[in-house]
Amino acid sequence: MIITVTGKPCSGKGSVSKHFCAEYGFKYMSTGNMFRELAKQNGYDDILEFQMNESITKIDNQVDTLIENLGKEKLHEDIVIDSRLAWHFIPKSFKVFIDVDWRTAGERLLRAERETEKAENLEHAIKILKKRWKTENDRYSSLYKINNLDLSQYDLVIKSDNKTIEEISREIYSSYKKFMQKA
């Protein structure tokens, strides 16, 4: 079964998803990495600037169609998809939301040294992340009429601030097993 992992920027979605896959033998996929690569290919150093360009809807549609088709064709395979919207396009997936406070997220962004998200200091990092979060959620609301912030849509909500990647992975696996027993 596919597990979809979403959450705030720098909540640990990617790190947790990769660890989970290595620990439990699932395949890993990331739409965030797809977007970062597309940003670089289109000459953008800033992911937010890329997301605000006029052709983003076309790119959204390409990525979303890929995810939707993956959900139809491989629903019964062990795959973790690190993605803001895969939960929406694969409604029968086990849906995980990872939350984080903005200060912790900003600290993580500063340590990550991402090419497409550069921050000068903690305050700037938090500002970048909040703007990106708002921009993304406004886009999702406009395109799909969904509220990504409605936590009742997810099978599991985890706050990552004071937990290790290993603890979060175990919590996801435990909840996933219970979910599968009910399915």
Side-chain angles (χ1 to χ4, degrees):
M1 159 146 286
I2 294 175
I3 298 173
T4 53
V5 180
T6 189
K8 288 181 181 173
C10 293
S11 61
K13 298 176 311 301
S15 298
V16 167
S17 296
K18 289 174 194 169
H19 178 272
F20 182 94
C21 289
E23 187 72 19
Y24 299 106
F26 281 60
K27 294 179 199 170
Y28 173 74
M29 185 173 172
S30 167
T31 58
N33 288 345
M34 288 180 200
F35 274 100
R36 282 185 192 88
E37 185 58 36
L38 288 168
K40 281 176 32 180
Q41 288 174 12
N42 285 280
Y44 288 89
D45 293 329
D46 182 331
I47 191 78
L48 184 60
E49 197 178 309
F50 176 63
Q51 289 177 334
M52 295 175 79
N53 99 46
E54 58 198 45
S55 65
I56 193 67
T57 303
K58 180 181 174 190
I59 294 165
D60 275 330
N61 288 336
Q62 290 172 343
V63 173
D64 297 342
T65 299
L66 173 71
I67 296 300
E68 191 171 29
N69 288 339
L70 184 75
K72 290 175 184 172
E73 298 165 7
K74 300 185 182 272
L75 184 61
H76 299 290
E77 291 186 28
D78 292 338
I79 302 171
V80 172
I81 304 175
D82 165 14
S83 166
R84 292 273 190 264
L85 291 179
W87 65 269
H88 174 71
F89 292 105
I90 309 174
K92 292 183 179 179
S93 65
F94 178 69
K95 298 172 274 308
V96 177
F97 184 95
I98 302 180
D99 199 1
V100 65
D101 72 60
W102 290 115
R103 181 175 185 81
T104 302
E107 291 167 352
R108 290 176 181 174
L109 178 60
L110 287 173
R111 286 192 306 268
E113 298 179 2
R114 292 179 180 165
E115 288 180 37
T116 55
E117 292 174 297
K118 296 196 184 298
E120 300 161 7
N121 54 43
L122 181 57
E123 184 178 298
H124 185 231
I126 292 169
K127 184 177 179 180
I128 288 170
L129 294 172
K130 284 183 174 181
K131 185 172 183 181
R132 180 172 149 210
W133 184 240
K134 181 179 178 349
T135 300
E136 289 174 352
N137 287 306
D138 288 350
R139 197 166 85 240
Y140 305 149
S141 177
S142 174
L143 287 172
Y144 309 112
K145 309 296 183 244
I146 60 171
N147 178 359
N148 208 28
L149 307 175
D150 177 2
L151 300 182
S152 69
Q153 302 172 109
Y154 308 105
D155 300 303
L156 177 64
V157 177
I158 302 173
K159 190 95 162 121
S160 69
D161 301 85
N162 298 312
K163 293 183 179 176
T164 66
I165 291 169
E166 294 80 12
E167 290 170 326
I168 296 169
S169 290
R170 282 193 302 270
E171 190 172 340
I172 291 171
Y173 189 72
S174 175
S175 294
Y176 167 74
K177 287 305 231 183
K178 291 174 188 170
F179 177 85
M180 291 303 292
Q181 288 172 352
K182 293 178 186 175

